[in-house]
Amino acid sequence: METLEEQEQEQSTTTIVERSTKKTNMSLPSEIIEDIFSRLPVKSILRFRTLSKPWLSRISDRSFTNLHLTRAHRTALFILAHDESGKRHLLSAPRDGGPVTHLITFHNPDYIVMYAQHVNGLVYLTCMKRSNEHRTHVYAFVVNPSMHKIFKLPDPYTDVKDFTRIRYLFGFDESRNEHKILMIRDSSLRSMEIMIFSMSSYSWRKIHAEPPLGFTWDGLWLNFYHNVCVNSVVHIMLAVSFDILAFDLRTEKFLIITTPQGVLPEDYDDTKQNDPYIIKLNGCIGVVCYDSVAENNEMYIWILQDYENRVWVKETVIFPEEWITLRYPLSFPVDSVNMDEIIFIPSNFSGNVISVPVYNKKTRCFKSLRFASGNHFSLSRTLQFHYIRCYVESMVPL
């Protein structure tokens, strides 16, 4: 949904462009118009692609795409929802709530979306699908919600029978200004095969990366879907020690980040208590600890505030009423909306509106983001928001 200010800005830009494209004395240099375009919403820029072939070429150029990503910096919400029929719907919505926009629907209920991750304008999905031979296949998709485009990653193997031993991780290499997918495959020889897919060359390449000193691959798979990319480094939460295995996309090397002692209580019992998990908050790593939230009504988020010096800061989330009786039952933090607000899931349906809880770190209070039906998609009581991620609008091509 465009604000009045954005609509007025677009109308003003349209007038400028129309004048510049006509043979009049009021034409402006293309550099100035490009500077104006780089600050507009993607929706507005897409309308201007039909002005002329030179402008289509200029707007489609990679240099303009990168310029727009750094200047416009408009954020929105990417939503993964499912209904009682088993269909999975990919939606987008304004950051502060409002009508949802339908992007794509997975009609096959055998597709199970296991994880969603956003990095620099693109959203990555890990999906699992069971075949007729009772085998599990893992698929990876990259989505640009702003452009309504989706790309299915090509399989690096054609002879693999057990796809449950393959995991994909999404990241952005700032040194090369490109998105990459890291694939780690258990070769069943007590070793891992590692490959990288470049979203610039659209090709796989195999690499050799030694694990950190003293590290073994045991226990990696249980928490493999909890991973985030921060500062060109993909971070994976380990299932046994709950430390973080990190892979630097620039140097293509692994390292270990030790989590603070408070992440696990001294009397931790993995058969009775909930495991911590990793999220991304305002460009920082966060570790969510909710092992005793039902008893003390508090949830803790350890935030790696200073990455270089490994300084962790503890954020305590206090629920306004008993966590287990909230109208948003069993809520968990998943992403940040801005510097102060954290999105929780799941959602709650009431009065043809789906509400999602958001926690403000400054006021230490909860509020609701409210989402309504859009022009091409209707909300219903059977629809549940499964994932919500905040993404930056971009024109990154797929």
Side-chain angles (χ1 to χ4, degrees), residues 225-242:
Y225 293 110
H226 294 307
N227 60 86
V228 298
C229 180
V230 174
N231 300 327
S232 301
V233 181
V234 178
H235 302 83
I236 311 160
M237 183 129 233
L238 301 176
V240 179
S241 65
F242 298 107

Side-chain angles (χ1 to χ4, degrees), residues 273-327:
Q273 294 171 295
N274 299 311
D275 294 342
Y277 65 93
I278 190 172
I279 61 174
K280 180 166 63 176
L281 298 175
N282 301 315
C284 297
I285 298 171
V287 177
V288 179
C289 308
Y290 61 106
D291 55 280
S292 56
V293 63
E295 289 77 21
N296 57 24
N297 221 41
E298 292 182 349
M299 186 178 292
Y300 310 108
I301 305 177
W302 287 91
I303 302 173
L304 187 53
Q305 203 73 50
D306 187 339
Y307 192 94
E308 296 299 325
N309 297 308
R310 302 291 192 265
V311 178
W312 294 84
V313 177
K314 184 179 180 181
E315 176 75 26
T316 302
V317 179
I318 302 176
F319 291 90
E321 51 188 289
E322 288 189 18
W323 179 72
I324 203 167
T325 63
L326 289 174
R327 62 191 179 108

Side-chain angles (χ1 to χ4, degrees), residues 139-373:
Y139 298 99
F141 296 89
V142 180
V143 183
N144 185 329
S146 306
M147 304 282 285
H148 291 207
K149 299 293 184 181
I150 185 167
F151 170 75
K152 181 179 179 293
L153 215 65
D155 293 329
Y157 301 101
T158 58
D159 59 345
V160 177
K161 296 182 179 180
D162 187 2
F163 283 83
T164 59
R165 294 180 178 273
I166 295 178
R167 294 295 182 266
Y168 299 103
L169 306 169
F170 190 51
F172 185 78
D173 182 349
E174 296 174 359
S175 66
R176 296 180 177 271
N177 200 34
E178 67 174 336
H179 292 81
K180 295 179 177 179
I181 294 94
L182 175 70
M183 187 218 70
I184 302 180
R185 175 198 176 198
D186 186 353
S187 64
S188 300
L189 299 174
R190 301 193 66 82
S191 63
M192 295 292 172
E193 188 174 20
I194 303 170
M195 299 183 71
I196 290 180
F197 184 86
S198 167
M199 291 295 293
S200 296
S201 64
Y202 288 89
S203 61
W204 287 100
R205 63 182 176 88
K206 188 175 180 179
I207 68 169
H208 178 74
E210 292 289 343
L213 185 64
F215 172 79
T216 62
W217 294 107
D218 298 340
L220 178 63
W221 302 103
L222 295 179
N223 269 344
F224 215 74
Y225 293 110
H226 294 307
N227 60 86
V228 298
C229 180
V230 174
N231 300 327
S232 301
V233 181
V234 178
H235 302 83
I236 311 160
M237 183 129 233
L238 301 176
V240 179
S241 65
F242 298 107
D243 287 331
I244 296 171
L245 177 66
F247 181 81
D248 194 320
L249 292 170
R250 298 161 297 189
T251 63
E252 298 185 351
K253 293 181 178 181
F254 285 103
L255 65 148
I256 291 289
I257 298 177
T258 304
T259 52
Q261 291 184 349
V263 165
L264 291 179
E266 294 182 0
D267 58 347
Y268 176 76
D269 183 352
D270 61 357
T271 63
K272 300 178 180 179
Q273 294 171 295
N274 299 311
D275 294 342
Y277 65 93
I278 190 172
I279 61 174
K280 180 166 63 176
L281 298 175
N282 301 315
C284 297
I285 298 171
V287 177
V288 179
C289 308
Y290 61 106
D291 55 280
S292 56
V293 63
E295 289 77 21
N296 57 24
N297 221 41
E298 292 182 349
M299 186 178 292
Y300 310 108
I301 305 177
W302 287 91
I303 302 173
L304 187 53
Q305 203 73 50
D306 187 339
Y307 192 94
E308 296 299 325
N309 297 308
R310 302 291 192 265
V311 178
W312 294 84
V313 177
K314 184 179 180 181
E315 176 75 26
T316 302
V317 179
I318 302 176
F319 291 90
E321 51 188 289
E322 288 189 18
W323 179 72
I324 203 167
T325 63
L326 289 174
R327 62 191 179 108
Y328 305 109
L330 310 181
S331 293
F332 302 97
V334 291
D335 203 355
S336 55
V337 183
N338 52 42
M339 292 296 291
D340 300 315
E341 295 183 327
I342 303 172
I343 307 174
F344 277 61
I345 56 169
S347 55
N348 180 61
F349 184 87
S350 177
N352 298 322
V353 173
I354 287 183
S355 299
V356 173
V358 173
Y359 176 76
N360 189 295
K361 293 191 297 180
K362 278 190 174 180
T363 63
R364 298 188 178 278
C365 295
F366 280 89
K367 71 173 185 179
S368 294
L369 291 183
R370 297 165 64 85
F371 300 92
S373 299

Side-chain angles (χ1 to χ4, degrees), residues 1-3 6 37-46 64-78 92-95 101 118-123 143-148 389-396:
M1 178 185 293
E2 293 178 298
T3 65
E6 289 174 336
F37 272 31
S38 66
R39 306 175 193 277
L40 291 177
V42 171
K43 183 179 179 181
S44 301
I45 297 175
L46 295 179
F64 177 79
T65 299
N66 296 334
L67 179 65
H68 178 267
L69 185 62
T70 58
R71 284 187 175 177
H73 206 74
R74 285 177 167 81
T75 57
L77 296 177
F78 173 84
S92 66
R95 188 181 65 179
T101 299
H118 66 96
V119 181
N120 277 40
L122 297 182
V123 177
V143 183
N144 185 329
S146 306
M147 304 282 285
H148 291 207
R389 298 292 186 270
C390 192
Y391 71 93
V392 178
E393 288 190 2
S394 81
M395 298 187 63
V396 177

Side-chain angles (χ1 to χ4, degrees), residues 39-58:
R39 306 175 193 277
L40 291 177
V42 171
K43 183 179 179 181
S44 301
I45 297 175
L46 295 179
R47 294 172 182 170
F48 294 135
R49 292 190 301 180
T50 58
L51 285 174
S52 65
K53 289 184 178 179
W55 272 111
L56 174 61
S57 176
R58 184 180 291 269

